[in-house]
Amino acid sequence: MKKKKNKSALKRARQAEARRIRNASIKSAMKTYMKKALLAIQEKKDPKTIDELVRKAISMIDKAKSKGVIHRRTASRKISRFTKKVNKLLQGSA
C-alpha cells in the first residue's frame, strides 16, 4: 500500500529546498568575497582596491546575517577574525 503525503508536508519540503538553495548561494558569495579580499592583499594590489574588497566582504557577511543564513554572533566573529587577518597582512606588506 502506497503512503499518501500531506499537502502541508509537500509544501514544507518545497519551501525547505528553496531556502537551502538561497542560503547556499548567499553563503558561497560571502566566502568568495572574503577570499578575493585576502588574495588581493597577498598579491599586494593597490590600497584602494583592497579597501573596496574588504568593505564588500564585510558587507556580504552582514547580508548573510540579516537574511538569517548565519547567526549574528557568528557574523560578528567572522568580521572580527577577518579584520584581524586583513590588518595583520597589511602590516606585513607595509
Side-chain angles (χ1 to χ4, degrees):
M1 187 174 187
K2 194 172 181 181
K3 198 173 186 180
K4 190 174 178 185
K5 290 189 179 176
N6 270 348
K7 244 181 158 179
S8 61
L10 293 172
K11 182 177 178 180
R12 267 284 155 224
R14 286 195 309 270
Q15 288 176 327
E17 181 62 13
R19 287 191 184 105
R20 185 187 68 78
I21 292 167
R22 189 180 314 119
N23 291 347
S25 170
I26 292 168
K27 206 169 199 177
S28 174
M30 176 185 77
K31 289 177 183 179
T32 301
Y33 279 103
M34 289 174 75
K35 282 181 190 173
K36 280 183 182 180
L38 290 173
L39 198 63
I41 293 164
Q42 288 170 345
E43 291 177 354
K44 296 180 174 79
K45 299 219 173 171
D46 66 302
K48 189 178 177 185
T49 307
I50 291 170
D51 186 50
E52 192 177 303
L53 288 169
V54 168
R55 283 177 195 266
K56 185 67 178 172
I58 291 172
S59 167
M60 290 304 287
I61 294 170
D62 280 334
K63 183 179 180 181
K65 176 185 74 177
S66 71
K67 301 285 181 190
V69 176
I70 58 174
H71 192 271
R72 64 186 178 87
R73 289 193 177 143
T74 303
S76 182
R77 184 179 67 243
K78 280 187 183 295
I79 289 171
S80 176
R81 288 179 182 172
F82 181 70
T83 307
K84 196 174 176 182
K85 192 180 283 187
V86 165
N87 289 337
K88 188 176 179 183
L89 284 168
L90 286 173
Q91 293 298 319
S93 66

Coordinates of all heavy atoms in Angstrom, one line a residue:
M1 N 0.8 -1.2 0.0 CA 0.0 0.0 0.0 C 0.9 1.2 0.0 O 1.8 1.4 0.8 CB -0.9 0.0 1.2 CG -1.9 1.1 1.2 SD -3.0 0.8 2.6 CE -4.2 2.0 2.3
K2 N 0.6 2.2 -0.9 CA 1.4 3.4 -1.0 C 0.9 4.4 0.0 O -0.3 4.6 0.2 CB 1.2 4.0 -2.5 CG 2.2 5.0 -2.8 CD 2.2 5.4 -4.2 CE 3.2 6.5 -4.5 NZ 3.2 6.9 -5.9
K3 N 1.9 5.1 0.7 CA 1.6 6.0 1.7 C 1.3 7.4 1.0 O 2.2 7.9 0.2 CB 2.7 6.1 2.7 CG 2.3 6.7 4.0 CD 3.5 6.6 4.9 CE 3.1 7.1 6.3 NZ 4.2 7.0 7.3
K4 N 0.2 8.1 1.4 CA -0.1 9.4 0.8 C 0.5 10.5 1.7 O 0.5 10.4 2.9 CB -1.6 9.6 0.7 CG -2.0 10.8 0.0 CD -3.5 10.9 -0.2 CE -3.9 12.1 -0.9 NZ -5.3 12.3 -1.0
K5 N 1.1 11.5 1.1 CA 1.8 12.6 1.8 C 0.8 13.7 2.0 O 0.0 14.0 1.1 CB 3.0 13.0 1.1 CG 4.1 12.0 1.2 CD 5.4 12.6 0.7 CE 6.5 11.6 0.8 NZ 7.8 12.1 0.3
N6 N 0.9 14.4 3.1 CA 0.1 15.6 3.4 C 0.5 16.7 2.4 O 1.6 16.8 1.9 CB 0.6 16.2 4.7 CG -0.2 15.7 5.9 OD1 -1.2 15.0 5.7 ND2 0.2 15.9 7.1
K7 N -0.5 17.5 2.1 CA -0.3 18.7 1.3 C 0.7 19.6 1.9 O 1.6 20.2 1.3 CB -1.6 19.4 1.1 CG -2.1 19.5 -0.3 CD -3.4 20.3 -0.4 CE -3.7 20.8 -1.7 NZ -4.9 21.5 -1.8
S8 N 0.5 19.8 3.2 CA 1.4 20.7 4.0 C 2.8 20.2 4.1 O 3.8 21.0 4.0 CB 0.8 20.9 5.4 OG 0.8 19.7 6.1
A9 N 3.0 18.9 4.2 CA 4.3 18.3 4.2 C 5.1 18.5 2.9 O 6.3 18.8 2.9 CB 4.3 16.8 4.5
L10 N 4.3 18.4 1.8 CA 4.9 18.6 0.5 C 5.3 20.1 0.3 O 6.4 20.4 -0.2 CB 3.9 18.2 -0.6 CG 3.6 16.7 -0.7 CD1 2.5 16.5 -1.7 CD2 4.8 15.9 -1.2
K11 N 4.5 21.0 0.8 CA 4.8 22.4 0.7 C 6.0 22.7 1.5 O 6.9 23.5 1.1 CB 3.6 23.2 1.2 CG 3.8 24.7 1.1 CD 2.6 25.5 1.5 CE 2.9 27.0 1.4 NZ 1.8 27.8 1.8
R12 N 6.1 22.2 2.8 CA 7.2 22.4 3.6 C 8.5 21.9 2.9 O 9.5 22.6 3.0 CB 7.1 21.6 4.9 CG 6.5 22.3 6.0 CD 7.5 23.2 6.7 NE 6.7 24.3 7.3 CZ 6.9 25.6 7.3 NH1 7.9 26.0 6.6 NH2 6.2 26.4 7.9
A13 N 8.4 20.8 2.3 CA 9.6 20.2 1.6 C 10.1 21.2 0.5 O 11.3 21.4 0.3 CB 9.3 18.9 1.0
R14 N 9.1 21.7 -0.3 CA 9.4 22.7 -1.3 C 10.0 24.0 -0.8 O 11.0 24.5 -1.3 CB 8.1 23.1 -2.1 CG 7.6 22.0 -3.1 CD 6.6 22.6 -4.0 NE 5.5 23.4 -3.4 CZ 4.4 22.9 -3.0 NH1 4.1 21.6 -3.1 NH2 3.4 23.7 -2.5
Q15 N 9.5 24.4 0.3 CA 10.0 25.7 0.9 C 11.4 25.4 1.5 O 12.3 26.3 1.3 CB 9.1 26.1 2.1 CG 7.8 26.7 1.6 CD 6.8 27.0 2.8 OE1 6.9 26.3 3.8 NE2 6.0 28.0 2.6
A16 N 11.6 24.3 2.1 CA 12.9 24.0 2.7 C 14.0 23.9 1.6 O 15.1 24.4 1.8 CB 12.9 22.7 3.5
E17 N 13.6 23.3 0.5 CA 14.6 23.2 -0.7 C 14.9 24.6 -1.2 O 16.1 24.9 -1.5 CB 14.0 22.3 -1.7 CG 14.9 22.1 -2.9 CD 16.2 21.4 -2.7 OE1 16.4 20.9 -1.6 OE2 17.1 21.5 -3.5
A18 N 13.9 25.4 -1.4 CA 14.1 26.8 -1.9 C 15.0 27.6 -0.9 O 15.9 28.3 -1.4 CB 12.8 27.5 -2.0
R19 N 14.8 27.5 0.4 CA 15.6 28.1 1.4 C 17.0 27.6 1.3 O 18.0 28.4 1.5 CB 15.0 28.0 2.8 CG 13.8 28.8 3.0 CD 13.4 28.8 4.4 NE 12.1 29.6 4.6 CZ 11.0 29.0 4.8 NH1 10.9 27.7 4.9 NH2 9.9 29.7 4.9
R20 N 17.2 26.3 1.2 CA 18.5 25.7 1.2 C 19.4 26.2 0.1 O 20.5 26.6 0.2 CB 18.4 24.2 1.1 CG 19.7 23.4 1.2 CD 19.6 22.0 0.9 NE 19.2 21.7 -0.5 CZ 20.1 21.7 -1.5 NH1 21.4 22.0 -1.3 NH2 19.7 21.5 -2.8
I21 N 18.7 26.3 -1.1 CA 19.4 26.9 -2.3 C 19.8 28.3 -2.1 O 20.9 28.8 -2.4 CB 18.5 26.7 -3.6 CG1 18.4 25.2 -3.9 CG2 19.1 27.4 -4.8 CD1 17.4 24.8 -4.9
R22 N 18.8 29.1 -1.6 CA 19.1 30.6 -1.4 C 20.2 30.8 -0.4 O 21.1 31.5 -0.6 CB 17.8 31.2 -0.9 CG 17.9 32.7 -0.9 CD 16.6 33.4 -0.4 NE 15.4 32.9 -1.0 CZ 14.4 32.3 -0.3 NH1 14.5 32.1 1.0 NH2 13.4 31.9 -1.0
N23 N 20.1 30.0 0.7 CA 21.2 30.1 1.8 C 22.5 29.7 1.3 O 23.5 30.4 1.6 CB 20.8 29.3 3.0 CG 19.6 29.8 3.7 OD1 19.2 30.9 3.5 ND2 19.0 29.0 4.6
A24 N 22.6 28.7 0.5 CA 23.9 28.2 -0.1 C 24.5 29.3 -1.0 O 25.7 29.5 -0.9 CB 23.7 26.9 -0.8
S25 N 23.6 29.9 -1.7 CA 24.1 31.0 -2.7 C 24.7 32.2 -1.9 O 25.7 32.7 -2.2 CB 22.9 31.4 -3.5 OG 23.2 32.6 -4.3
I26 N 24.0 32.6 -0.9 CA 24.4 33.8 0.0 C 25.7 33.4 0.7 O 26.7 34.2 0.7 CB 23.3 34.2 1.0 CG1 22.1 34.8 0.2 CG2 23.9 35.2 2.0 CD1 20.9 35.0 1.1
K27 N 25.8 32.2 1.2 CA 27.0 31.8 2.0 C 28.2 31.7 1.0 O 29.3 32.1 1.4 CB 26.7 30.5 2.6 CG 27.5 30.2 3.9 CD 27.0 29.0 4.6 CE 27.5 29.0 6.0 NZ 27.0 27.9 6.8
S28 N 28.0 31.2 -0.2 CA 29.0 31.0 -1.1 C 29.6 32.4 -1.6 O 30.8 32.6 -1.7 CB 28.5 30.2 -2.3 OG 29.5 30.2 -3.4
A29 N 28.7 33.3 -1.8 CA 29.1 34.7 -2.2 C 29.9 35.3 -1.1 O 30.9 36.0 -1.4 CB 27.8 35.5 -2.5
M30 N 29.5 35.1 0.1 CA 30.2 35.7 1.3 C 31.6 35.1 1.3 O 32.6 35.9 1.4 CB 29.5 35.3 2.6 CG 30.1 35.7 3.8 SD 29.3 35.1 5.3 CE 29.9 33.4 5.3
K31 N 31.8 33.8 1.2 CA 33.1 33.2 1.2 C 34.0 33.7 0.0 O 35.2 33.9 0.2 CB 33.0 31.7 1.2 CG 32.5 31.1 2.4 CD 32.3 29.6 2.3 CE 31.7 28.9 3.5 NZ 31.6 27.5 3.3
T32 N 33.3 33.8 -1.2 CA 34.1 34.3 -2.4 C 34.7 35.7 -2.2 O 35.8 35.9 -2.5 CB 33.1 34.3 -3.6 OG1 32.6 32.9 -3.8 CG2 33.8 34.7 -4.8
Y33 N 33.9 36.6 -1.6 CA 34.4 37.9 -1.4 C 35.5 38.0 -0.4 O 36.4 38.8 -0.5 CB 33.2 38.9 -1.0 CG 32.5 39.4 -2.3 CD1 31.2 38.8 -2.6 CD2 33.0 40.3 -3.1 CE1 30.6 39.2 -3.8 CE2 32.4 40.7 -4.3 CZ 31.1 40.2 -4.6 OH 30.5 40.6 -5.7
M34 N 35.3 37.1 0.7 CA 36.4 37.1 1.7 C 37.7 36.6 1.0 O 38.8 37.2 1.3 CB 36.0 36.2 2.8 CG 34.9 36.7 3.7 SD 34.3 35.6 4.9 CE 35.6 35.7 6.1
K35 N 37.6 35.6 0.2 CA 38.8 35.0 -0.5 C 39.4 36.1 -1.4 O 40.7 36.3 -1.5 CB 38.5 33.8 -1.3 CG 38.3 32.6 -0.5 CD 38.0 31.4 -1.3 CE 37.6 30.2 -0.5 NZ 37.2 29.0 -1.3
K36 N 38.6 36.8 -2.2 CA 39.1 37.8 -3.1 C 39.8 38.9 -2.4 O 40.9 39.4 -2.8 CB 37.9 38.5 -3.8 CG 37.3 37.7 -5.0 CD 36.2 38.5 -5.7 CE 35.6 37.7 -6.8 NZ 34.5 38.4 -7.5
A37 N 39.3 39.4 -1.2 CA 40.0 40.4 -0.4 C 41.3 39.9 0.1 O 42.3 40.6 0.0 CB 39.1 40.8 0.7
L38 N 41.4 38.7 0.6 CA 42.6 38.2 1.2 C 43.7 38.0 0.0 O 44.8 38.2 0.2 CB 42.4 36.9 1.9 CG 41.6 37.0 3.2 CD1 41.3 35.6 3.8 CD2 42.4 37.8 4.2
L39 N 43.2 37.5 -1.1 CA 44.1 37.3 -2.2 C 44.7 38.6 -2.7 O 45.8 38.7 -3.1 CB 43.3 36.6 -3.4 CG 44.2 35.9 -4.4 CD1 45.0 34.8 -3.8 CD2 43.3 35.4 -5.5
A40 N 43.8 39.7 -2.8 CA 44.3 41.0 -3.2 C 45.4 41.5 -2.3 O 46.3 42.1 -2.8 CB 43.1 42.0 -3.2
I41 N 45.3 41.3 -1.0 CA 46.3 41.7 -0.1 C 47.6 41.0 -0.3 O 48.6 41.5 -0.3 CB 45.8 41.5 1.4 CG1 44.6 42.5 1.6 CG2 46.9 41.8 2.4 CD1 43.8 42.2 2.9
Q42 N 47.4 39.6 -0.4 CA 48.6 38.8 -0.6 C 49.4 39.1 -1.9 O 50.6 39.0 -2.0 CB 48.3 37.3 -0.5 CG 47.9 36.9 0.9 CD 47.3 35.5 1.0 OE1 46.9 34.9 0.0 NE2 47.3 35.0 2.2
E43 N 48.6 39.5 -2.9 CA 49.2 39.9 -4.2 C 49.7 41.4 -4.2 O 50.1 41.9 -5.3 CB 48.2 39.7 -5.3 CG 47.9 38.2 -5.6 CD 46.9 38.0 -6.7 OE1 46.3 39.0 -7.2 OE2 46.7 36.8 -7.0
K44 N 49.5 42.0 -3.1 CA 49.9 43.4 -2.9 C 49.4 44.4 -4.0 O 50.1 45.1 -4.6 CB 51.5 43.5 -2.9 CG 52.1 42.8 -1.7 CD 53.6 42.9 -1.8 CE 54.2 42.3 -0.6 NZ 54.3 40.9 -0.5
K45 N 48.0 44.3 -4.1 CA 47.3 45.2 -5.0 C 47.3 46.6 -4.4 O 47.6 46.8 -3.2 CB 45.9 44.7 -5.3 CG 46.0 43.3 -6.0 CD 44.9 43.2 -7.1 CE 45.2 41.9 -7.8 NZ 44.1 41.6 -8.7
D46 N 46.8 47.6 -5.1 CA 46.7 48.9 -4.6 C 45.7 49.0 -3.4 O 44.7 48.3 -3.4 CB 46.4 49.9 -5.7 CG 45.0 49.8 -6.3 OD1 44.7 48.7 -6.8 OD2 44.3 50.8 -6.2
P47 N 46.0 49.9 -2.5 CA 45.2 50.0 -1.3 C 43.7 50.3 -1.5 O 42.8 49.9 -0.8 CB 45.8 51.2 -0.5 CG 47.2 51.2 -1.0 CD 47.2 50.8 -2.4
K48 N 43.4 51.1 -2.6 CA 42.1 51.4 -2.9 C 41.2 50.2 -3.3 O 40.1 50.0 -2.8 CB 42.0 52.4 -4.1 CG 40.7 53.0 -4.4 CD 40.7 54.0 -5.5 CE 39.4 54.5 -5.8 NZ 39.3 55.4 -7.0
T49 N 41.8 49.3 -4.0 CA 41.2 48.0 -4.4 C 41.0 47.2 -3.2 O 39.9 46.6 -3.0 CB 42.0 47.3 -5.4 OG1 42.3 48.1 -6.5 CG2 41.3 46.0 -6.0
I50 N 42.0 47.1 -2.4 CA 41.9 46.3 -1.2 C 40.8 46.8 -0.2 O 40.0 46.0 0.2 CB 43.3 46.2 -0.4 CG1 44.3 45.5 -1.2 CG2 43.2 45.7 1.0 CD1 45.7 45.6 -0.7
D51 N 40.8 48.1 0.0 CA 39.8 48.7 0.8 C 38.4 48.4 0.3 O 37.5 48.0 1.1 CB 40.0 50.2 0.9 CG 39.0 50.8 1.9 OD1 39.0 50.3 3.1 OD2 38.4 51.8 1.6
E52 N 38.2 48.5 -1.0 CA 36.9 48.2 -1.6 C 36.5 46.7 -1.4 O 35.3 46.4 -1.1 CB 37.0 48.5 -3.1 CG 35.7 48.6 -3.8 CD 35.8 48.9 -5.3 OE1 36.4 50.0 -5.5 OE2 35.4 48.2 -6.1
L53 N 37.4 45.8 -1.6 CA 37.1 44.4 -1.5 C 36.8 44.0 0.0 O 36.0 43.2 0.3 CB 38.3 43.5 -2.0 CG 38.4 43.5 -3.5 CD1 39.7 42.9 -4.0 CD2 37.3 42.8 -4.2
V54 N 37.6 44.6 0.9 CA 37.4 44.3 2.3 C 36.0 44.8 2.8 O 35.2 44.1 3.4 CB 38.5 44.9 3.2 CG1 38.1 44.9 4.7 CG2 39.8 44.2 3.0
R55 N 35.6 46.0 2.3 CA 34.3 46.5 2.6 C 33.2 45.6 2.0 O 32.2 45.4 2.7 CB 34.1 47.9 2.0 CG 34.8 49.0 2.8 CD 34.7 50.4 2.1 NE 35.6 51.3 2.6 CZ 35.3 52.2 3.6 NH1 34.1 52.2 4.2 NH2 36.2 53.1 4.0
K56 N 33.4 45.2 0.8 CA 32.4 44.3 0.2 C 32.3 43.0 0.9 O 31.2 42.5 1.1 CB 32.8 44.0 -1.3 CG 31.8 43.3 -2.1 CD 30.5 44.0 -2.3 CE 29.5 43.2 -3.1 NZ 28.2 43.7 -3.2
A57 N 33.4 42.4 1.4 CA 33.4 41.1 2.1 C 32.6 41.3 3.5 O 31.8 40.5 3.8 CB 34.8 40.7 2.4
I58 N 32.9 42.4 4.2 CA 32.2 42.6 5.4 C 30.7 42.9 5.2 O 29.9 42.4 5.9 CB 32.9 43.8 6.2 CG1 34.2 43.4 6.7 CG2 32.0 44.3 7.4 CD1 35.1 44.4 7.3
S59 N 30.4 43.6 4.1 CA 29.0 43.8 3.7 C 28.3 42.5 3.4 O 27.1 42.3 3.8 CB 29.0 44.7 2.5 OG 27.7 44.7 1.9
M60 N 29.0 41.5 2.8 CA 28.4 40.3 2.5 C 28.1 39.4 3.8 O 27.1 38.7 3.9 CB 29.2 39.5 1.5 CG 29.3 40.0 0.1 SD 27.7 40.2 -0.7 CE 27.3 38.5 -1.0
I61 N 29.0 39.6 4.7 CA 28.8 38.9 6.0 C 27.6 39.4 6.7 O 26.8 38.7 7.2 CB 30.1 39.0 6.9 CG1 31.3 38.3 6.3 CG2 29.8 38.4 8.3 CD1 32.6 38.5 7.0
D62 N 27.5 40.8 6.7 CA 26.3 41.4 7.3 C 25.0 41.0 6.6 O 24.0 40.8 7.2 CB 26.5 42.9 7.3 CG 27.4 43.4 8.4 OD1 27.5 42.7 9.4 OD2 28.0 44.5 8.2
K63 N 25.1 40.9 5.3 CA 23.9 40.5 4.5 C 23.5 39.1 4.9 O 22.3 38.8 5.1 CB 24.2 40.5 3.0 CG 23.0 40.2 2.1 CD 23.4 40.3 0.6 CE 22.2 39.9 -0.2 NZ 22.4 40.0 -1.6
A64 N 24.5 38.2 5.0 CA 24.2 36.8 5.4 C 23.5 36.8 6.8 O 22.6 36.0 7.0 CB 25.4 35.9 5.4
K65 N 24.0 37.7 7.6 CA 23.5 37.7 9.0 C 22.0 38.3 8.9 O 21.1 37.7 9.6 CB 24.3 38.7 9.8 CG 23.7 39.0 11.2 CD 24.5 40.0 12.0 CE 24.2 41.4 11.5 NZ 24.9 42.5 12.2
S66 N 21.8 39.3 8.2 CA 20.4 39.9 8.1 C 19.4 38.9 7.5 O 18.2 39.0 7.8 CB 20.5 41.2 7.3 OG 20.7 41.0 6.0
K67 N 19.9 38.1 6.6 CA 19.0 37.1 5.9 C 18.8 35.9 6.8 O 18.0 35.0 6.4 CB 19.6 36.6 4.6 CG 19.8 37.8 3.6 CD 18.5 38.2 3.0 CE 18.8 39.3 2.0 NZ 17.6 40.0 1.6
G68 N 19.5 35.8 7.9 CA 19.4 34.6 8.8 C 20.1 33.4 8.3 O 19.9 32.3 8.8
V69 N 21.1 33.6 7.4 CA 21.9 32.5 6.9 C 22.9 32.1 8.0 O 23.1 30.9 8.2 CB 22.6 32.8 5.6 CG1 23.5 31.7 5.1 CG2 21.5 33.1 4.5
I70 N 23.5 33.1 8.6 CA 24.4 32.8 9.7 C 23.9 33.6 11.0 O 23.2 34.6 10.8 CB 25.9 33.2 9.4 CG1 26.0 34.6 9.0 CG2 26.4 32.3 8.3 CD1 27.4 35.1 8.8
H71 N 24.3 33.1 12.1 CA 23.9 33.7 13.4 C 24.6 35.0 13.6 O 25.7 35.2 13.0 CB 24.2 32.7 14.5 CG 23.6 33.1 15.8 ND1 24.2 34.0 16.7 CD2 22.4 32.7 16.4 CE1 23.4 34.1 17.8 NE2 22.3 33.4 17.6
R72 N 24.0 35.9 14.3 CA 24.6 37.3 14.4 C 25.9 37.2 15.1 O 26.8 38.0 14.8 CB 23.6 38.2 15.2 CG 23.3 37.9 16.6 CD 22.2 38.8 17.2 NE 21.9 38.4 18.5 CZ 22.6 38.8 19.6 NH1 23.6 39.6 19.5 NH2 22.2 38.3 20.8
R73 N 26.1 36.3 16.1 CA 27.4 36.2 16.8 C 28.4 35.6 15.9 O 29.6 35.9 16.0 CB 27.2 35.5 18.1 CG 26.4 36.3 19.1 CD 26.5 35.7 20.5 NE 25.8 36.6 21.4 CZ 25.1 36.1 22.4 NH1 25.0 34.8 22.7 NH2 24.5 37.0 23.2
T74 N 28.0 34.7 15.0 CA 28.9 34.1 14.1 C 29.4 35.1 13.1 O 30.6 35.2 12.8 CB 28.2 32.9 13.3 OG1 27.7 32.0 14.2 CG2 29.1 32.3 12.3
A75 N 28.5 36.0 12.7 CA 28.8 37.1 11.8 C 29.8 38.0 12.4 O 30.8 38.4 11.8 CB 27.6 37.9 11.4
S76 N 29.6 38.4 13.7 CA 30.4 39.2 14.4 C 31.8 38.6 14.6 O 32.8 39.3 14.4 CB 29.8 39.5 15.8 OG 30.6 40.4 16.5
R77 N 31.9 37.3 14.9 CA 33.2 36.6 15.0 C 33.9 36.6 13.7 O 35.1 36.8 13.6 CB 32.9 35.2 15.5 CG 34.2 34.4 15.8 CD 33.9 33.1 16.4 NE 33.2 32.2 15.4 CZ 32.0 31.7 15.5 NH1 31.3 32.0 16.6 NH2 31.5 31.0 14.6
K78 N 33.2 36.3 12.6 CA 33.8 36.3 11.3 C 34.4 37.6 10.9 O 35.5 37.7 10.4 CB 32.8 35.8 10.2 CG 32.6 34.3 10.2 CD 31.7 34.0 9.0 CE 31.3 32.5 8.9 NZ 32.5 31.6 8.7
I79 N 33.6 38.7 11.1 CA 34.1 40.0 10.8 C 35.3 40.4 11.6 O 36.3 40.9 11.1 CB 33.0 41.1 11.0 CG1 31.9 40.9 10.0 CG2 33.5 42.5 11.0 CD1 30.6 41.8 10.2
S80 N 35.3 40.0 12.9 CA 36.4 40.3 13.8 C 37.7 39.6 13.3 O 38.8 40.2 13.2 CB 36.1 39.9 15.2 OG 37.2 40.1 16.0
R81 N 37.5 38.3 13.1 CA 38.7 37.5 12.6 C 39.2 37.9 11.2 O 40.4 38.0 11.0 CB 38.3 36.0 12.6 CG 38.2 35.4 14.0 CD 37.8 34.0 14.0 NE 37.7 33.5 15.3 CZ 37.2 32.3 15.6 NH1 36.9 31.4 14.6 NH2 37.1 31.9 16.8
F82 N 38.3 38.2 10.4 CA 38.6 38.7 9.0 C 39.4 40.0 9.1 O 40.4 40.1 8.5 CB 37.4 38.8 8.2 CG 37.6 39.2 6.8 CD1 38.2 38.4 5.9 CD2 37.3 40.5 6.3 CE1 38.5 38.7 4.6 CE2 37.5 40.9 5.0 CZ 38.1 40.0 4.1
T83 N 38.9 40.9 9.9 CA 39.5 42.2 10.0 C 40.9 42.1 10.6 O 41.9 42.8 10.2 CB 38.7 43.2 10.9 OG1 37.3 43.2 10.4 CG2 39.2 44.6 10.9
K84 N 41.0 41.2 11.6 CA 42.3 41.0 12.3 C 43.3 40.4 11.3 O 44.5 40.9 11.2 CB 42.1 40.0 13.4 CG 43.2 39.9 14.4 CD 42.7 39.0 15.6 CE 43.9 38.8 16.5 NZ 43.5 37.9 17.6
K85 N 42.9 39.5 10.5 CA 43.7 38.9 9.4 C 44.2 39.9 8.4 O 45.3 40.0 8.0 CB 43.0 37.7 8.8 CG 43.9 36.8 7.9 CD 43.1 35.7 7.3 CE 42.8 34.6 8.3 NZ 42.1 33.4 7.6
V86 N 43.2 40.7 8.0 CA 43.5 41.7 7.0 C 44.5 42.7 7.5 O 45.5 43.0 6.8 CB 42.2 42.5 6.6 CG1 42.5 43.8 5.8 CG2 41.3 41.6 5.7
N87 N 44.3 43.2 8.7 CA 45.2 44.1 9.3 C 46.6 43.5 9.5 O 47.6 44.2 9.2 CB 44.7 44.6 10.7 CG 43.5 45.5 10.5 OD1 43.3 46.1 9.5 ND2 42.7 45.6 11.6
K88 N 46.7 42.3 9.8 CA 48.0 41.6 10.0 C 48.7 41.5 8.7 O 49.9 41.8 8.6 CB 47.8 40.2 10.6 CG 49.0 39.5 11.0 CD 48.8 38.1 11.6 CE 50.0 37.4 12.0 NZ 49.8 36.1 12.6
L89 N 48.0 41.1 7.6 CA 48.6 41.0 6.3 C 49.0 42.4 5.8 O 50.0 42.5 5.1 CB 47.6 40.4 5.3 CG 47.4 38.9 5.4 CD1 46.2 38.4 4.6 CD2 48.7 38.1 5.0
L90 N 48.2 43.4 6.1 CA 48.6 44.8 5.6 C 49.8 45.3 6.4 O 50.7 46.0 5.8 CB 47.4 45.8 5.8 CG 46.2 45.6 4.9 CD1 45.1 46.5 5.3 CD2 46.6 45.9 3.4
Q91 N 49.9 44.9 7.6 CA 51.1 45.3 8.4 C 52.4 44.6 7.9 O 53.4 45.2 7.8 CB 51.0 44.9 9.9 CG 49.9 45.7 10.6 CD 50.2 47.2 10.7 OE1 51.3 47.6 10.9 NE2 49.1 48.0 10.5
G92 N 52.2 43.4 7.5 CA 53.3 42.6 6.9 C 53.8 43.1 5.6 O 55.0 43.1 5.2
S93 N 52.8 43.6 4.8 CA 53.2 44.1 3.4 C 53.7 45.5 3.4 O 54.3 46.0 2.4 CB 52.0 43.9 2.5 OG 50.9 44.8 2.9
A94 N 53.4 46.2 4.5 CA 53.8 47.7 4.6 C 55.3 47.8 4.9 O 56.0 47.0 5.2 CB 53.0 48.4 5.6

